[in-house]
Amino acid sequence: MAEETKKAEQAETPETEKETVAKETQAQEQTVEETPAKAEEKKEKKKSNKKDEKIEELNDRLLRNMAEFENFRNRSEKEKAAKFDMGAKNVVEKVLPIVDNFERGLAAVPEEEQDNAFVKGMEAVYKQFTTVLEEIGVTVGKEFDPNLHNAVMHDEDETKEANIISEEFQKGYMYKDSVVRHSMVKVVN
């Protein structure tokens, strides 16, 4: 029996070895067949991941550039408006002495010559001048405000309240929200 068992084992062993070798060969063939397909899939995934990353990066750069351009445009518009306002304010400063001279000239005209054609023409030009200044945003200050007025004299008057302008020597003007010229006034204490 021992011999029969040995023969049976030997008979089984080659078959088992043959089966094992066949299975290994078959597994290797499948691995070889699957490996190129999987390798291609992996390459495609890597390529698509790289493409997606590149697309994401380019989209991000584009959005940042668009935002930067929008900020640049807004900043440029603000600077342009500020330069325009500064230029307009400078022009108004240069025109105000002319307005003052018109006022002095009209105040110096005697009562009997008020109906003179020349005086009427000067009044019309003065009114046109002041109207244009008002249209572009130049206003005349009225109530006493230390930010707008320059108090050059003080007066004592018990009939008036304190810090009231009793006399204006030179008109003050504002262009929009900024002071062009401070008003020179006499203030009651």
Side-chain angles (χ1 to χ4, degrees), residues 2-44:
E3 287 180 23
E4 288 179 13
T5 312
K6 281 184 181 180
K7 285 183 183 179
E9 284 179 8
Q10 286 176 354
E12 286 180 15
T13 303
E15 285 181 33
T16 308
E17 286 179 19
K18 286 181 183 176
E19 287 177 3
T20 306
V21 170
K23 286 180 182 177
E24 286 177 2
T25 307
Q26 197 175 29
Q28 286 176 352
E29 288 175 0
Q30 286 177 352
T31 306
V32 170
E33 290 174 7
E34 290 176 15
T35 303
K38 286 184 180 179
E40 287 180 33
E41 286 179 22
K42 287 181 182 179
K43 285 181 183 178
E44 288 178 22

Side-chain angles (χ1 to χ4, degrees), residues 2-189:
E3 287 180 23
E4 288 179 13
T5 312
K6 281 184 181 180
K7 285 183 183 179
E9 284 179 8
Q10 286 176 354
E12 286 180 15
T13 303
E15 285 181 33
T16 308
E17 286 179 19
K18 286 181 183 176
E19 287 177 3
T20 306
V21 170
K23 286 180 182 177
E24 286 177 2
T25 307
Q26 197 175 29
Q28 286 176 352
E29 288 175 0
Q30 286 177 352
T31 306
V32 170
E33 290 174 7
E34 290 176 15
T35 303
K38 286 184 180 179
E40 287 180 33
E41 286 179 22
K42 287 181 182 179
K43 285 181 183 178
E44 288 178 22
K45 284 182 181 179
K46 285 182 182 179
K47 285 182 182 178
S48 68
N49 284 343
K50 286 182 181 178
K51 287 180 183 177
D52 289 343
E53 288 175 9
K54 188 68 174 177
I55 289 170
E56 193 70 30
E57 178 187 338
L58 292 174
N59 279 338
D60 185 53
R61 285 176 53 192
L62 176 67
L63 291 175
R64 288 180 188 273
N65 284 338
M66 288 172 60
E68 188 175 326
F69 180 72
E70 184 69 26
N71 290 339
F72 169 75
R73 189 173 62 190
N74 291 340
R75 187 174 52 249
S76 296
E77 287 176 8
K78 286 180 183 177
E79 288 173 358
K80 182 179 173 183
K83 285 182 181 180
F84 177 79
D85 286 345
M86 186 171 35
K89 184 178 174 183
N90 287 338
V91 169
V92 169
E93 285 176 2
K94 292 185 189 313
V95 168
L96 289 180
I98 299 169
V99 174
D100 292 340
N101 289 335
F102 266 109
E103 290 173 349
R104 287 186 202 112
L106 291 173
V109 174
E111 284 287 325
E112 55 274 355
E113 293 185 21
Q114 292 287 332
D115 294 332
N116 188 341
F118 179 73
V119 174
K120 294 279 185 188
M122 293 298 284
E123 286 177 351
V125 172
Y126 173 73
K127 285 180 184 177
Q128 184 180 11
F129 225 126
T130 55
T131 303
V132 169
L133 287 174
E134 287 174 7
E135 286 175 359
I136 64 171
V138 177
T139 57
V140 179
K142 295 197 178 191
E143 297 175 7
F144 180 73
D145 181 359
N147 298 320
L148 306 176
H149 299 97
N150 184 12
V152 293
M153 293 180 73
H154 292 282
D155 193 17
E156 298 292 331
D157 191 352
E158 295 178 13
T159 60
K160 296 183 180 176
E161 294 179 27
N163 292 330
I164 298 293
I165 298 171
S166 62
E167 189 176 344
E168 184 175 47
F169 299 115
Q170 186 179 30
K171 285 185 181 178
Y173 292 90
M174 292 183 64
Y175 176 69
K176 296 187 179 179
D177 292 334
S178 63
V179 176
V180 177
R181 182 174 73 187
H182 291 86
S183 181
M184 287 192 205
V185 298
K186 180 192 284 189
V187 181
V188 175
N189 287 339

